Amino acid sequence: MAVPVAGGGGDLLLYGRGHRTLDRWGGGDVTDEYLVSAYGFPRGGGHSLVDLLGASLSRPTGGGGAISPETQVLAALGFWGGGSFQTRMGDAMGISQAGGGRCVANVTEALVERAPGGGGFPEDEAAVQSLKDDWGGGAGMPGVLGVVDCTHVGGGAPNAEDLSYVNRKGLGGGDCLMACDSRGALLSAGGGGPGSLPDCAVLQQAALGGGFESRLQKDGWLLGDSSFFLRTWLMTPLHIPETPAEYRYNMAHSATHNIIERTFRTLRSRFRCLDGSKGTLQYSPGGGGHIILACCVLHNISLGGGGDVWASPATGHMEQPDEEYEQMESMDSEACRIRQELLLTHFS
């Protein structure tokens, strides 16, 4: 049964500036289907979000002018899900542009506190084994702990002199490094790094890469595409496969790695502020990075609550321009040995 987000049917959206908008989450004439399409969450999911974030969003005030946690959450969801800029969200809800901006900023920071960091991968034996079991050797690739990749989210460069946030396609924005499990849940996420950096450098500088290097994980590995260096803990595809075993390895690698690409498509489809169809994020790199992380947390919350996050239609300006990957040659002889052993053991 649907549960209203606001106890007692409290107003979440107002009438203002000539726009008639939804009064209540719990209104009987409003379906969960509409709420999901407009805000990305049904009533029950919205209720859970308010419960989760309410303490962080409550602002005591003597004059009664504080925006309620319910309204803040709904404003932020409308911004992220609809791709509308804060001015439009504020107009639609009858609150000022500054008020709408505060809503998005407050909810963003409350979610970022819960974002998966570089330490998202477990270290104890049972948890590591559980990760590998969840993959189940899918597509024939054994020992997988997670898959990793970078995606570019557009945004303006901080200033005319700083070109570090402009990638080689001439697009401003940041590189976001993410790693996910077999369900597409994000185990590690970092957003807003300079868009000019190659993926291998982003991973090298990230907490995720440092964590795996220091642990020297022997019992499993991440999968990364050809934009990364081969490591003992990171298996990459072969540049020029020659034997049947090498072809089978590359096919299994590609099929397994596809889950992170699918996750990227889902994030862009569900959170249209990331897909570039209505403009790029007009924030500093740090601010844009926080919005990306907030969307990652919402993605995980939906998965944890049983939401069908794969159901979002891939419409509009979904795909970012493909990067031209350069094969990364590895000088790590131990990593080459491990990959060769993997080839002989499982793909020959």
Side-chain angles (χ1 to χ4, degrees):
M1 185 175 71
V3 180
V5 170
D11 288 345
L12 297 189
L13 289 177
L14 312 176
Y15 294 96
R17 306 193 185 185
H19 294 81
R20 189 179 188 279
T21 55
L22 178 66
D23 295 331
R24 310 166 188 270
W25 272 94
D29 59 336
V30 179
T31 65
D32 271 351
E33 287 75 15
Y34 169 79
L35 294 172
V36 169
S37 67
Y39 301 104
F41 283 84
R43 290 180 182 85
H47 177 79
S48 297
L49 276 178
V50 174
D51 284 347
L52 177 68
L53 305 177
S56 300
L57 299 177
S58 296
R59 300 288 187 272
T61 176
I67 302 175
S68 71
E70 291 88 350
T71 301
Q72 293 183 61
V73 167
L74 201 58
L77 289 177
F79 168 65
W80 293 322
S84 300
F85 293 114
Q86 293 170 10
T87 307
R88 295 183 184 177
M89 284 306 302
D91 286 346
M93 297 181 68
I95 57 179
S96 68
Q97 180 180 354
R102 285 195 299 273
C103 289
V104 174
N106 291 343
V107 180
T108 295
E109 293 310 309
L111 287 168
V112 166
E113 292 174 1
R114 297 160 174 82
F121 282 83
E123 297 188 36
D124 63 280
E125 251 182 67
V128 168
Q129 187 59 48
S130 177
L131 271 182
K132 289 192 288 187
D133 290 345
D134 287 344
W135 285 101
M141 180 66 71
V144 179
L145 297 172
V147 292
V148 62
D149 207 349
C150 288
T151 186
H152 183 86
V153 175
N159 55 62
E161 289 75 33
D162 187 354
L163 298 181
S164 66
Y165 284 84
V166 178
N167 69 9
R168 60 184 174 181
K169 299 278 189 179
L171 301 174
D175 276 331
C176 310
L177 178 74
M178 301 182 196
C180 72
D181 67 12
S182 61
R183 300 177 304 128
L186 293 160
L187 298 170
S188 177
S196 62
L197 288 178
D199 291 359
C200 59
V202 175
L203 178 58
Q204 184 177 5
Q205 295 179 11
L208 175 65
F212 270 85
E213 283 285 358
S214 63
R215 289 197 300 269
L216 296 176
Q217 179 69 48
K218 302 289 187 184
D219 299 324
W221 37 72
L222 301 177
L223 298 187
D225 61 26
S226 297
S227 61
F228 296 101
F229 287 111
L230 178 69
R231 292 288 182 261
T232 57
W233 48 270
L234 178 67
M235 293 291 105
T236 61
L238 291 142
H239 182 35
I240 304 176
E242 296 178 345
T243 68
E246 290 174 347
Y247 276 103
R248 284 192 288 269
Y249 167 85
N250 272 12
M251 289 177 64
H253 187 291
S254 176
T256 308
H257 187 265
N258 180 260
I259 189 69
I260 190 70
E261 297 164 7
R262 190 180 177 194
T263 299
F264 288 158
R265 289 194 295 269
T266 297
L267 283 167
R268 294 184 188 283
S269 177
R270 191 169 190 208
F271 304 111
R272 304 309 296 266
C273 64
L274 304 180
D275 77 353
S277 63
K278 299 191 177 182
T280 57
L281 291 174
Q282 300 302 304
Y283 291 88
S284 67
H290 280 192
I291 287 177
I292 295 161
L293 290 180
C295 292
C296 290
V297 175
L298 290 174
H299 170 84
N300 281 359
I301 288 172
S302 292
L303 277 175
D308 187 5
V309 299
W310 305 119
S312 300
T315 57
H317 183 73
M318 294 298 304
E319 297 295 336
Q320 294 293 301
D322 292 333
E323 295 292 337
E324 297 174 1
Y325 293 137
E326 296 177 3
Q327 182 66 23
M328 298 297 170
E329 298 297 334
S330 175
M331 301 301 293
D332 189 332
S333 59
E334 178 64 10
C336 292
R337 185 196 65 77
I338 290 175
R339 186 169 66 180
Q340 188 60 30
E341 183 178 309
L342 181 60
L343 281 163
L344 293 173
T345 305
H346 295 278
F347 297 98
S348 294

